[in-house]
Amino acid sequence: MKPPPLLLGAALLFWGWQTGFLIPGALMAALLEGARLIKVRWELSEEDFSRLWAFCSVLLLAALVFSFNTYVGLSNFTGRGRNPILFPQNGAGQAGARTAIALFRWLPIIFFLFVAAQSYNSNEQIPRSTLLRILRWRWRKADKRASPEFPTRGVNVGYPYFALTLFAASNHAGENSRYFFWGLSLLTAWALWPQRSRRFATLIWFGTFTLVIALGFAGQSGLGQFQSFIGGLNPQWLSPTWGRRGTDPIQSRTWLGEIGKLKQSGTIIIRLQPEIGAAPPLLREASYRTYRLQTWYSGSELQNGAFPGRRRKWRGMLQRTNATALPFFRPWFRRNEFEPLMPQTNGTTWVLLANKTNTSRVQIACYLEGRTQEAEPRGMLPLPTGCSRLDRLPAFGLRKNDLGAIYAVGPGLVMFDACYGPGDTIDSPPGTNEDLDVPNDERPALEKVAAELGVEEKGRDEVLRAVQRFFEDRFEYRIWQEPPKDSDTKETPLSRFLLQTHSGHCEYFATATVLLLRELHIQARYAVGYAVQETSGDGYIVRQRDAHAWCLVWNDRTRTWEDFDTTPGSWVNAESRRASPWQRLLDAWSWTGFELAKFRWGQSPLRQYLPILLVPVLALLLYRILFRRGRTRARRPAADTQPPVAWPGRDSEFYLVERKLAEGGVLRQPNETLSHWLRRAAMDPAVAGVNGPLRTLLQLHYRYRFDPRSLGPTDREELKRGTHRVLETLNRQN
């Protein structure tokens, strides 16, 4: 099917407007639509179109290599590329996705030469064999068997190119997005109008199309509202279903009080490779000060914050909603805002603590999966305790808060070296009251446990040992939580854990430890991250079920925060027993995805050598373009042999008559039809006696040659016998 006039030109203008390539789009539109005014045409053969197709393939491959090896891809040509280090927010985030989008935008340019050749071809069609390689293979087999070949047909690629142009326009700039739907609808109506069914009235067609457009617009708006609704939900609600939970540095809602079994996935999310010795036992992502309503917060402003008259209302909102998603809550966390960090001159070294001696180094590979409305992946970095420097970190930007959390913006996968050692940490010293705060509703249970321990007058080290023994001797690790047996409204999940059940998961132990130490006048904080416990080859892996919570205790002598974990060691075996029977197969699949992610996000050395590896492929394609015609000529049979069977009718015996008359001097001129040649041959006296039989044979030959039904067995036999009789007559006359 041939597109209606000016449709391709309008589509190219729309593509140029949406993608920022308006001038190239206008030039291409003028060249394509100019074919209707220019009467000059070229006789392009199947071989010519095959060369053009191979050229477009080489161009596509070259564009793919170029876009895959740059952060901003083909947008460099428009001057929109930016240095990802100097412009972290608007730079080259999501390298793989952005370069793919840039490549999609260039598809109309890459295949324009092929479509332009069709427009300026004599029949404005492209041989189907150029596009359908399978049919070409079948024709070659038919040629080898000397059997009739399938008829060659032409294809107009106008509509496929139109669809390709609209697809490229869908990767539009943000400022033009609101006009894309209406432009797409108008162009689609233009393209479908010539193909409409004539059985229905025009009014019905327009009404149906308008209804489809209205439903599409409503669906688009509904999808946008649904995305906004999902974005406003607490992402931790979805963590057991959708994989890794992105750590929120502002708050951490625990699973305290949740009835049932805490489910975690065995998906590998972090890989470690220590330089020497073992890996760090814990990787911390964030820490928190204030505990309210089974949720830990990074600041104490919620305790002493504004709007006391509405405390009940906003407490309920905090239970149902992610506070970080509400700008209304932002003023309460001003003192915990993240401060930007600047890299060293090489752009990949980030100093967290200056003038610190590091005794260990570990390579960490993790995913940045937490996303906002911007395009760049972002999330918290899991770091060992005492980390002071990050080497070879390809981040676009880092930010740090005073609780030791590092917030990174970068590619979807980051691999870096973390240098760490004992001593100072990036955490701020304790505040006046925030690291000793105990909620009033938890105080009765904590006072009872503290009195039972009897360590109020003991030193810090004795208190820590007593607390450690208390949880080791009387408590057990359990991921299943049963409903409470009584309906005491004053009882909290934590008090029930301390006084009744004596069983729970790591969040119970960490929360109880922090608050119990504070009740004993020892400054403590709540930390979340991952436990490193499983080896893999010569390195370590961390699964989602290795997510862990523990306590940070302040040491007045060393002026540092120290890890203090009271969760029973049995939790490691308890989590390991939950492994899937298909764990090895899933790990192999995870490793494959990890290698692909390394390649996609530029963390694999193979990407640097990709252009070199593709040189042989490009050379082979160019060889096929430049030297294919020579190989065809070498296989072409000699001129004096019988032409091979190429299509139905080429084996007609009537060609023997033509050859016989040519030997007698009646030659058929180039481009002369058989009927005209036969009228001229009838003037020869030697042919006068067979003029009637020749006309009958010519009619049978034409039917055999061009009639789709060909000849029946009787007529086919008559063509053979009649030809032999005419040849015998001509031989007798000579």
Side-chain angles (χ1 to χ4, degrees):
M1 294 183 295
K2 186 178 180 180
L6 304 179
L7 177 63
L8 291 182
L12 286 171
L13 288 174
F14 179 69
W15 162 79
W17 171 45
Q18 289 291 309
T19 59
F21 300 118
L22 185 58
I23 295 179
L27 292 177
M28 291 190 297
L31 288 174
L32 282 187
E33 300 301 337
R36 306 180 186 277
L37 303 177
I38 300 176
K39 303 304 180 181
V40 178
R41 291 293 184 271
W42 283 267
E43 293 287 345
L44 299 177
S45 64
E46 176 186 339
E47 186 72 17
D48 296 326
F49 279 109
S50 297
R51 288 169 177 255
L52 288 173
W53 182 256
F55 175 79
C56 293
S57 301
V58 172
L59 186 60
L60 176 63
L61 184 59
L64 177 63
V65 173
F66 174 79
S67 61
F68 206 80
N69 282 274
T70 180
Y71 278 111
V72 291
L74 295 167
S75 60
N76 268 335
F77 290 126
T78 61
R80 297 180 181 180
R82 293 188 177 186
N83 187 307
I85 300 298
L86 297 180
F87 301 91
Q89 298 300 325
N90 299 319
Q94 283 195 355
R98 287 195 174 187
T99 52
I101 291 176
L103 181 64
F104 294 155
R105 290 179 179 176
W106 276 71
L107 288 178
I109 296 179
I110 293 174
F111 293 100
F112 173 76
L113 186 61
F114 194 72
V115 179
Q118 171 189 268
S119 300
Y120 288 91
N121 191 25
S122 57
N123 58 356
E124 296 189 12
Q125 287 185 337
I126 293 175
R128 182 179 296 182
S129 59
T130 303
L131 304 177
L132 305 180
R133 299 293 178 179
I134 298 179
L135 289 183
R136 294 193 67 185
W137 173 73
R138 293 177 62 192
W139 292 337
R140 289 172 183 172
K141 290 187 63 177
D143 184 63
K144 291 180 181 179
R145 295 193 306 264
S147 58
E149 199 177 69
F150 298 95
T152 303
R153 298 179 181 178
V155 177
N156 191 297
V157 297
Y159 273 110
Y161 186 73
F162 170 76
L164 181 71
T165 304
L166 292 185
F167 171 72
S170 65
N171 300 279
H172 45 69
E175 59 271 13
N176 297 328
S177 58
R178 57 178 178 174
Y179 303 109
F180 174 77
F181 179 82
W182 302 113
L184 175 66
S185 302
L186 179 61
L187 290 173
T188 303
W190 190 349
L192 295 178
W193 173 254
Q195 312 302 328
R196 70 189 188 280
S197 175
R198 299 303 194 273
R199 294 182 300 170
F200 302 97
T202 303
L203 184 61
I204 296 178
W205 188 89
F206 271 112
T208 304
F209 188 81
T210 303
L211 178 62
V212 171
I213 295 300
L215 292 176
F217 182 77
Q220 174 186 257
S221 303
L223 181 61
Q225 295 176 3
F226 179 74
Q227 290 176 340
S228 301
F229 172 74
I230 292 297
L233 293 178
N234 189 337
Q236 300 185 34
W237 290 358
L238 307 178
S239 59
T241 305
W242 296 104
R244 180 186 176 189
R245 175 176 70 179
T247 301
D248 188 342
I250 303 300
Q251 70 169 11
S252 176
R253 178 173 174 79
T254 67
W255 293 97
L256 272 65
E258 298 291 335
I259 300 173
K261 188 176 182 179
L262 180 64
K263 298 180 180 180
Q264 293 287 353
S265 168
T267 304
I268 299 174
I269 56 178
I270 303 175
R271 297 175 185 268
L272 298 93
Q273 184 69 45
E275 184 177 50
I276 299 176
L282 296 172
L283 297 177
R284 176 157 46 111
E285 285 191 331
S287 60
Y288 308 90
R289 293 190 179 102
T290 305
Y291 179 72
R292 294 291 185 275
L293 302 173
Q294 289 80 57
T295 301
W296 281 95
Y297 299 96
S298 59
S300 60
E301 287 83 348
L302 284 177
Q303 177 187 3
N304 305 316
F307 312 106
R310 302 182 180 180
R311 186 167 299 174
R312 292 184 179 179
K313 179 178 180 180
W314 59 255
R315 279 187 179 181
M317 294 175 65
L318 282 176
Q319 285 186 301
R320 298 186 301 270
T321 312
N322 185 355
T324 60
L326 300 177
F328 179 70
F329 291 99
R330 279 298 183 186
W332 297 341
F333 301 104
R334 287 177 181 173
R335 64 176 302 175
N336 297 296
E337 290 181 354
F338 282 74
E339 299 178 356
L341 295 175
M342 297 303 296
Q344 300 298 302
T345 54
N346 60 5
T348 59
T349 298
W350 307 77
V351 176
L352 308 181
L353 280 176
N355 303 323
K356 180 181 177 179
T357 302
N358 299 298
T359 58
S360 302
R361 175 188 291 263
V362 60
Q363 184 188 70
I364 300 176
C366 63
Y367 299 93
L368 299 181
E369 297 180 348
R371 299 174 185 268
T372 61
Q373 295 180 353
E374 288 86 1
E376 293 85 357
R378 54 193 65 210
M380 311 304 299
L381 293 182
L383 301 178
T385 302
C387 183
S388 63
R389 191 177 77 247
L390 306 177
D391 292 334
R392 297 189 299 175
L393 174 59
F396 309 146
L398 290 185
R399 290 179 175 269
K400 177 182 73 71
N401 72 352
D402 60 350
L403 297 182
I406 301 297
Y407 184 76
V409 179
L413 172 68
V414 291
M415 297 179 62
F416 59 94
D417 293 338
C419 303
Y420 65 100
D424 296 339
T425 63
I426 58 177
D427 306 88
S428 63
T432 54
N433 297 318
E434 49 200 1
D435 294 311
L436 289 174
D437 173 65
V438 176
N440 293 329
D441 50 356
E442 307 290 355
R443 194 175 295 276
L446 294 172
E447 290 177 348
K448 185 175 181 180
V449 173
E452 183 179 352
L453 290 177
V455 293
E456 289 84 353
E457 304 298 330
K458 301 292 182 66
R460 174 184 178 275
D461 295 339
E462 294 185 37
V463 171
L464 294 181
R465 286 194 294 268
V467 172
Q468 186 77 51
R469 287 194 305 268
F470 172 74
F471 287 108
E472 288 181 354
D473 298 340
R474 304 187 185 184
F475 290 76
E476 63 177 347
Y477 181 83
R478 184 184 299 175
I479 57 178
W480 172 265
Q481 294 298 315
E482 298 179 352
K485 298 181 180 180
D486 51 31
S487 58
D488 187 3
T489 57
K490 297 182 179 180
E491 184 184 53
T492 66
L494 186 63
S495 63
R496 188 164 57 251
F497 165 75
L498 289 172
L499 303 178
Q500 297 181 17
T501 64
H502 291 179
S503 63
H505 48 77
C506 61
E507 291 180 331
Y508 280 95
F509 286 94
T511 302
T513 303
V514 172
L515 298 183
L516 182 57
L517 290 177
R518 291 181 177 182
E519 183 66 27
L520 296 172
H521 309 291
I522 296 178
Q523 294 162 320
R525 291 176 180 174
Y526 179 86
V528 296
Y530 300 91
V532 182
Q533 56 196 0
E534 184 177 352
T535 60
S536 176
D538 56 350
Y540 293 79
I541 57 175
V542 175
R543 305 181 186 274
Q544 181 185 337
R545 64 170 175 258
D546 295 326
H548 195 46
W550 64 95
C551 174
L552 297 179
V553 182
W554 176 252
N555 191 329
D556 286 319
R557 295 190 301 271
T558 61
R559 305 293 298 174
T560 58
W561 289 96
E562 299 175 349
D563 295 327
F564 184 58
D565 189 6
T566 59
T567 304
S570 59
W571 83 273
V572 176
N573 295 329
E575 293 292 344
S576 300
R577 287 194 297 267
R578 301 165 60 190
S580 169
W582 307 97
Q583 191 67 69
R584 291 185 179 273
L585 183 60
L586 296 175
D587 288 351
W589 178 256
S590 176
W591 179 84
T592 303
F594 174 68
E595 293 297 325
L596 292 176
K598 287 169 58 178
F599 183 76
R600 175 189 179 189
W601 299 106
Q603 305 293 332
S604 172
L606 178 62
R607 184 168 179 175
Q608 303 174 6
Y609 302 106
L610 181 62
I612 300 177
L613 296 176
L614 291 178
V615 166
V617 180
L618 295 174
L620 178 61
L621 289 176
L622 290 175
Y623 174 79
R624 290 176 57 85
I625 293 174
L626 297 176
F627 301 104
R628 182 186 299 174
R629 188 181 295 274
R631 288 201 319 273
T632 304
R633 289 178 178 175
R635 295 196 304 264
R636 189 171 298 169
D640 56 348
T641 62
Q642 184 177 359
V645 177
W647 56 77
R650 283 293 299 270
D651 58 342
S652 174
E653 290 76 10
F654 190 81
Y655 290 117
L656 300 177
V657 177
E658 178 188 1
R659 184 180 301 175
K660 182 63 178 178
L661 295 180
E663 294 175 355
V666 185
L667 298 176
R668 180 183 172 189
Q669 301 298 324
N671 300 324
E672 186 178 18
T673 63
L674 285 175
S675 59
H676 186 272
W677 166 77
L678 194 59
R679 286 196 300 269
R680 207 165 41 79
M683 300 178 184
D684 192 303
V687 186
V690 295
N691 189 20
L694 279 178
R695 293 187 178 278
T696 302
L697 292 177
L698 180 61
Q699 293 179 0
L700 292 174
H701 170 75
Y702 274 155
R703 288 175 54 195
Y704 182 46
R705 186 61 183 83
F706 300 109
D707 193 340
R709 295 172 295 181
S710 188
L711 293 177
T714 303
D715 293 336
R716 182 73 181 89
E717 187 66 24
E718 177 62 26
L719 177 60
K720 292 181 180 179
R721 292 180 179 180
T723 301
H724 288 301
R725 289 195 298 266
V726 170
L727 290 176
E728 291 176 357
T729 302
L730 292 177
N731 288 332
R732 288 196 302 267
Q733 291 179 357
N734 293 336

